[in-house]
Amino acid sequence: MLDRRNDVRVPVNTVGAIKFGAAGNTLPCIVIDLTPLGAGLTVASTFGIPATFQLTIKGEVQTRYCRVIWAQGNQLGVSFD
């Protein structure tokens, strides 16, 4: 796969949570890498994950608003809004 990112990915491999919907649905994920503009995530399944959601990362106070850029297998690439 061609990597078109301008920013260097920083491997982090830490726990995260995907939050979405009016009911506050939460799915666990692993944040595998970060850039200032996005992240790579591993999830149990991409089924049911919406195109936009909130991401919290263990150890960080900030919640990031994300947009799915790509999905392949059990991995997602997201950009931060």
Side-chain angles (χ1 to χ4, degrees), residues 67-79:
R67 179 174 312 281
V68 176
I69 301 301
W70 60 265
Q72 184 175 15
N74 66 337
Q75 294 190 336
L76 298 172
V78 300
S79 66

Side-chain angles (χ1 to χ4, degrees), residues 33-51:
D33 60 52
L34 280 173
T35 74
L37 301 177
L41 309 175
T42 299
V43 293
S45 171
T46 58
F47 180 77
I49 295 178

Side-chain angles (χ1 to χ4, degrees), residues 45-68:
S45 171
T46 58
F47 180 77
I49 295 178
T52 60
F53 56 82
Q54 295 177 30
L55 174 67
T56 57
I57 300 172
K58 184 178 179 180
E60 293 189 4
V61 176
Q62 176 186 11
T63 296
R64 301 169 194 252
Y65 292 86
C66 299
R67 179 174 312 281
V68 176

Side-chain angles (χ1 to χ4, degrees), residues 18-40:
I18 295 170
K19 297 180 182 181
F20 60 94
N25 298 320
T26 303
L27 297 172
C29 67
I30 300 295
V31 181
I32 54 177
D33 60 52
L34 280 173
T35 74
L37 301 177

